[in-house]
Amino acid sequence: MKNKTIAAWLAFVGGPFGLHRFYLQGMGDQLGWLLPLPTALGLYGLERVQQNGLDDLWSWLLIPLLGFTIAGCALTAIVYGLMTPEKWNARFNPSAPLDAAPGHTNWLTIGAIALALLVGTTVLLSSIVYSFQHYFEYQVEAARVSSQ
């Protein structure tokens, strides 16, 4: 039986590595195996910033991948946590009764939802701001070079 609380926490904490997908769909889930790719690219972008500084062109393209992946997984945790027990059990526990206990919401589920909302929103907005700031700085520098 797939527990909604465990799935919400896995999506929030281990989502960028596909842990929630493996828990719910099994090890054969293709999206679960693809989720670590943007995470790894974003971490590589962070490493490039440490090595080359904030002016590195590739870093401002790669770092938002990590942020958007984390924000998407936080959204998934929120969706899982807010799913009704009937819908949860019909989708992930089809052999169980619709009102089975693994689909019920408890305080740990609410904690996952609240933290996912807080962290996901912060990471999403930070990624958007970082992307736009570096994009516009790049455009200003390109205009400055072309005007000389």
Side-chain angles (χ1 to χ4, degrees), residues 38-106:
T39 303
L41 288 172
L43 291 173
Y44 175 65
L46 287 174
E47 176 129 353
R48 286 186 63 99
V49 164
Q50 290 176 345
Q51 290 175 355
N52 304 327
L54 288 174
D55 295 332
D56 183 45
L57 176 65
W58 282 102
S59 67
W60 67 265
L61 294 172
L62 294 175
I63 290 174
L65 287 176
L66 177 63
F68 294 144
T69 303
I70 291 171
C73 291
L75 178 63
T76 302
I78 294 167
V79 169
Y80 287 165
L82 293 177
M83 199 176 287
T84 64
E86 295 81 18
K87 188 173 180 182
W88 177 266
N89 287 323
R91 183 170 178 189
F92 296 111
N93 300 317
S95 62
L98 291 179
D99 62 344
H104 286 222
T105 302
N106 57 38

Side-chain angles (χ1 to χ4, degrees), residues 8 11 39 67 71 77 101 115 145:
T39 303
L115 283 174
V145 168

Side-chain angles (χ1 to χ4, degrees), residues 28-39:
D29 185 54
Q30 294 176 352
L31 186 58
W33 288 107
L34 289 176
L35 269 172
L37 291 176
T39 303

